[in-house]
Amino acid sequence: MKQRIYFNEVVTRDGFQMEPAFVPTEAKIALINDLSQCGYAKIEVTSFTSAKAIPMLRDAEEVMGRIQRVSGVEYTVLVPNLRGAERAMDVKPDEFNLVMSTSETHNLSNLRMPRENSFSTLREVMERFGTQVPINVSLSACFGCPMEGDVPQAEVMRWAQRFADLGVRGLTICDTTGMAQPRQVATMCEALRHRFPDLQLTLHFHNTRGMGLANVLAAVQSGIDRFDGSLGGLGGCPYAPGASGNICSEDAIHMLDAMGCNTGIDLQSLLLIARQLPEIVGHAVPGQVAKSGRITDLHPAPESVAQLQKEFS
Ligand code: COA
Ligand code: ZN
């Protein structure tokens, strides 16, 4: 049987949060409605952060309230604190994706508080809302911090354990600034699967240094079956120096399909949507398969080849 891989599309959250020009609310809603038809397991629609911190996503309520939800797709939202959780609860998402960093410096930069305060805040969110909505926690900078450098695996495991003890449904292990390399990924994934066999484990890679798909492969080979990706390869954390795009969803899905995995995604439809993305954001995007076509999209041989075929037959 084909290996099942569950994909979470994060373009309208991670992808858009660092875009320089505001993407109109209507365009966000239309994009999510289109993506909902492609077979994703999950879509991270937006984040309920402060509009001063992330002005691009200041229309979170309207977007969540107006999208057409498709059954079988989970609609998740990023929540950084209690205020965000209260706002998010009003629009009834299928999941809260809470966030904190495993690096003290990155947490101070991104969430303006020490990690211990973030943990207490998120624990409070879980206590208040955990019986009403499934909780996932995204741990940032798990493979290195652009300011502190190395983040030891033991430190990642420590924070993962604390959230597992609180009863989260899942953990997302994030390589926020593309510092992970495949051997490190394999070691981390094996340790996580061994320690947390009952949790939904998702890997979130950025392609900042071109290692994104190699890291996906390493994670798949270590038994991970859930990934975040961003259409076109957009993305990045505004509070992490040098951050750039997530792994490109359609490139990753194309690779997984070619390897014989079952992603559940209609790649052809997805590519049509990906080709509209440069117009939506007003600039070219890094994704490759939308430009090159799939490996199965063949080209006619040139006339000269037909001549040669005749000559040599
Ligand atoms: N939604 C809306 N407004 C919020 C909010 C939320 N979730 N959290 C805080 N605010 C508002 C407060 O009401 C306050 O508004 P005011 O200045 O008009 O009084 C202001 O933001 C500051 O509040 P404070 O509690 O001091 O928060 P902060 O300034 O320490 O910011 C965060 C904390 C986490 C909300 C903010 O840093 C943030 O949103 N960061 C973005 C994190 C992110 O999404 N990063 C990228 C993804 S990993
Ligand atoms: Zn990210």
Side-chain angles (χ1 to χ4, degrees):
M1 212 171 69
K2 284 184 166 188
Q3 189 177 2
R4 179 73 167 101
I5 303 286
Y6 301 89
F7 226 86
N8 176 27
E9 176 57 61
V10 302
V11 66
T12 52
R13 199 281 295 170
D14 203 337
F16 283 175
Q17 70 187 7
M18 206 164 78
E19 279 300 309
F22 186 75
V23 173
T25 306
E26 294 300 330
K28 287 175 182 149
I29 293 168
L31 177 58
I32 293 160
N33 287 346
D34 287 347
L35 291 168
S36 290
Q37 303 295 332
C38 290
Y40 281 102
K42 204 189 272 190
I43 296 179
E44 186 162 296
V45 175
T46 185
S47 70
F48 287 85
T49 45
S50 120
K52 273 185 214 142
I54 312 278
M56 185 61 166
L57 303 180
R58 60 180 182 260
D59 54 3
E61 275 88 351
E62 190 177 355
V63 172
M64 261 310 274
R66 289 183 47 210
I67 52 171
Q68 282 158 9
R69 300 195 196 184
V70 169
S71 91
V73 184
E74 280 191 26
Y75 296 88
T76 187
V77 294
L78 187 133
V79 167
N81 59 11
L82 214 44
R83 168 101 181 80
E86 283 161 356
R87 288 174 55 207
M89 212 54 222
D90 286 345
V91 293
K92 301 187 172 48
D94 298 317
E95 179 190 83
F96 276 4
N97 183 23
L98 311 185
V99 64
M100 68 165 280
S101 186
T102 55
S103 147
E104 185 74 1
T105 314
H106 180 240
N107 206 69
L108 285 166
S109 166
N110 190 29
L111 299 167
R112 298 166 47 81
M113 59 181 106
R115 288 175 299 177
E116 206 52 54
N117 297 33
S118 277
F119 182 77
S120 307
T121 301
L122 301 185
R123 183 174 51 202
E124 213 178 326
V125 170
M126 280 196 68
E127 283 163 3
R128 286 264 305 271
F129 299 102
T131 53
Q132 301 168 56
V133 62
I135 307 276
N136 185 77
V137 172
S138 281
L139 294 173
S140 311
C142 288
F143 297 91
C145 166
M147 295 161 285
E148 281 185 18
D150 192 32
V151 173
Q153 184 174 305
E155 190 61 5
V156 176
M157 298 301 277
R158 185 171 77 85
W159 290 104
Q161 185 67 57
R162 291 184 77 182
F163 283 109
D165 291 344
L166 293 182
V168 297
R169 176 176 71 163
L171 289 170
T172 300
I173 306 301
C174 302
D175 181 24
T176 308
T177 56
M179 295 171 75
Q181 42 85 358
R183 286 202 171 135
Q184 179 190 17
V185 169
T187 309
M188 178 84 80
C189 292
E190 276 149 28
L192 286 162
R193 286 193 67 223
H194 183 70
R195 176 92 72 94
F196 308 109
D198 299 327
L199 287 189
Q200 285 188 2
L201 294 171
T202 303
L203 269 287
H204 175 112
F205 294 117
H206 282 252
N207 195 36
T208 320
R209 293 174 179 81
M211 294 187 276
L213 292 193
N215 288 332
V216 171
L217 178 62
V220 169
Q221 287 173 340
S222 307
I224 295 293
D225 60 359
R226 292 177 188 272
F227 292 92
D228 287 356
S230 177
L231 195 73
L234 288 184
C237 174
Y239 300 98
S244 67
N246 289 66
I247 57 157
C248 169
S249 300
E250 62 273 22
D251 290 2
I253 290 158
H254 175 264
M255 178 185 86
L256 293 165
D257 281 2
M259 286 166 54
C261 299
N262 170 17
T263 58
I265 306 242
D266 174 353
L267 183 58
Q268 200 161 6
S269 300
L270 186 61
L271 286 171
L272 291 176
I273 303 169
R275 290 184 183 122
Q276 297 164 16
L277 192 59
E279 202 178 317
I280 295 172
V281 294
H283 59 80
V285 299
Q288 305 208 353
V289 178
K291 296 166 195 146
S292 59
R294 299 166 298 178
I295 49 174
T296 48
D297 297 332
L298 303 182
H299 302 267
E303 272 298 305
S304 56
V305 169
Q307 282 296 337
L308 288 168
Q309 278 169 337
K310 261 190 221 154
E311 259 175 54
F312 285 99
S313 64

